[in-house]
C-alpha cells in the first residue's frame, strides 16, 4: 500500500474520513484501504490562568490515506461529499515519498504516545503565553526533545533570539 493525500473542503476532514471508513466497511474496496489520518498537533493555551490542551490540524483541508488505489476506489473517494480531489498531476494521484510518510507518521505517533512536541527549525510559530504573547517568529533551534526552543522574534524592528518552552507556543504554518 502507498500513501496519498486527499484534498477536502475546509473543516470537512473528519466528516470525509468518517464517510470513507463507514462507506467502505465490509466491502471489497474496503480491503484496499489501510490507515486514514487527519494529522493534528497537541498544543497548550493558557486561559484564565489554567493550561488548556487542544488539538490543531497540521494540514487543514487534507486527509492522508494509505491505500492500494484502483480506478473504482479513486472514483468512490472523489464522489464523497466534501472531497475536491487527490493531490497529483491532473487526474492521477501521486503517492507520498517514504521520507514524507515517515515524518507524518512520526508526528502522529509522538502525539499519540507521549504528548511531546514536534517542532523543527524553520517552523513558523506564535507565542501564546509569557512576556512575548502574540509575537510571531521562526524556530531557530530545538533541544531537550523539542521542549526548549530558540525563536527569532522581531522586537522594536530588530530580530531577537528568545528561548521559550514548547508549551508557550503554537504552530502557525509549515
Amino acid at each position: 500500500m502507498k500513501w496519498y493525500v486527499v484534498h477536502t473542503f475546509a473543516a470537512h476532514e473528519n466528516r470525509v474520513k468518517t464517510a470513507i471508513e463507514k462507506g467502505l466497511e465490509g466491502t471489497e474496496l474496503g480491503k484496499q484501504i489501510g490507515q486514514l489520518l487527519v494529522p493534528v498537533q497537541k498544543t497548550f493555551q493558557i486561559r484564565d490562568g489554567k493550561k488548556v490542551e487542544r488539538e490543531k490540524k497540521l494540514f487543514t483541508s487534507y486527509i492522508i490515506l494509505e491505500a492500494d488505489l484502483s480506478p473504482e476506489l479513486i472514483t468512490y473517494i472523489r464522489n464523497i461529499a466534501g472531497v475536491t480531489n487527490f493531490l497529483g498531476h491532473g487526474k492521477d494521484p501521486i503517492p507520498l515519498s517514504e521520507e514524507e510518510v515517515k515524518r507524518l507518521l512520526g508526528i502522529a505517533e509522538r502525539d499519540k504516545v507521549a504528548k511531546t512536541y514536534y517542532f523543527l527549525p524553520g517552523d513558523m510559530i506564535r507565542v501564546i503565553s509569557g512576556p512575548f504573547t502574540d509575537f510571531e517568529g521562526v524556530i531557530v533551534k530545538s533541544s531537550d526533545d523539542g521542549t526548549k526552543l530558540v525563536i527569532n522574534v522581531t522586537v522594536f524592528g530588530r530580530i531577537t533570539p528568545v528561548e521559550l518552552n514548547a508549551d508557550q507556543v503554537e504552530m502557525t504554518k509549515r
Side-chain angles (χ1 to χ4, degrees), residues 73-80 83-86 90-93:
L73 184 58
I74 292 171
T75 302
Y76 175 80
I77 292 173
R78 280 187 179 141
N79 289 324
I80 291 176
V83 172
T84 60
N85 210 344
F86 284 87
K91 292 188 175 192
D92 300 326

Side-chain angles (χ1 to χ4, degrees), residues 3-19:
W3 290 87
Y4 299 89
V5 178
V6 179
H7 186 260
T8 67
F9 294 144
H12 281 70
E13 302 91 346
N14 290 320
R15 284 184 222 153
V16 170
K17 179 183 177 210
T18 303

Side-chain angles (χ1 to χ4, degrees), residues 42-87:
K42 296 195 184 316
T43 61
F44 297 93
Q45 287 186 319
I46 307 297
R47 287 198 181 148
D48 299 326
K50 295 180 184 175
K51 192 167 155 181
V52 179
E53 182 179 344
R54 67 174 241 219
E55 287 186 345
K56 184 175 181 181
K57 292 177 185 152
L58 283 177
F59 310 107
T60 54
S61 301
Y62 292 101
I63 295 175
I64 314 301
L65 163 75
E66 181 185 32
D68 281 328
L69 286 185
S70 64
E72 296 84 17
L73 184 58
I74 292 171
T75 302
Y76 175 80
I77 292 173
R78 280 187 179 141
N79 289 324
I80 291 176
V83 172
T84 60
N85 210 344
F86 284 87
L87 289 189

Side-chain angles (χ1 to χ4, degrees), residues 58-171:
L58 283 177
F59 310 107
T60 54
S61 301
Y62 292 101
I63 295 175
I64 314 301
L65 163 75
E66 181 185 32
D68 281 328
L69 286 185
S70 64
E72 296 84 17
L73 184 58
I74 292 171
T75 302
Y76 175 80
I77 292 173
R78 280 187 179 141
N79 289 324
I80 291 176
V83 172
T84 60
N85 210 344
F86 284 87
L87 289 189
H89 291 291
K91 292 188 175 192
D92 300 326
I94 295 183
L96 295 172
S97 70
E98 278 194 44
E99 182 181 307
E100 292 168 322
V101 171
K102 284 179 185 175
R103 185 166 181 197
L104 284 172
L105 293 178
I107 292 170
E109 288 303 312
R110 273 192 161 156
D111 282 348
K112 264 193 243 172
V113 176
K115 291 187 182 178
T116 57
Y117 304 94
Y118 193 72
F119 295 108
L120 296 173
D123 286 345
M124 294 289 298
I125 56 89
R126 184 172 69 83
V127 181
I128 57 173
S129 70
F132 295 97
T133 299
D134 292 329
F135 278 69
E136 291 190 354
V138 177
I139 296 175
V140 178
K141 183 176 152 189
S142 173
S143 59
D144 292 342
D145 293 333
T147 58
K148 298 276 186 206
L149 305 171
V150 176
I151 299 153
N152 278 345
V153 295
T154 304
V155 180
F156 302 120
R158 301 184 98 184
I159 295 176
T160 307
V162 176
E163 187 172 323
L164 297 170
N165 291 323
D167 62 353
Q168 291 180 281
V169 303
E170 71 178 2
M171 189 79 67

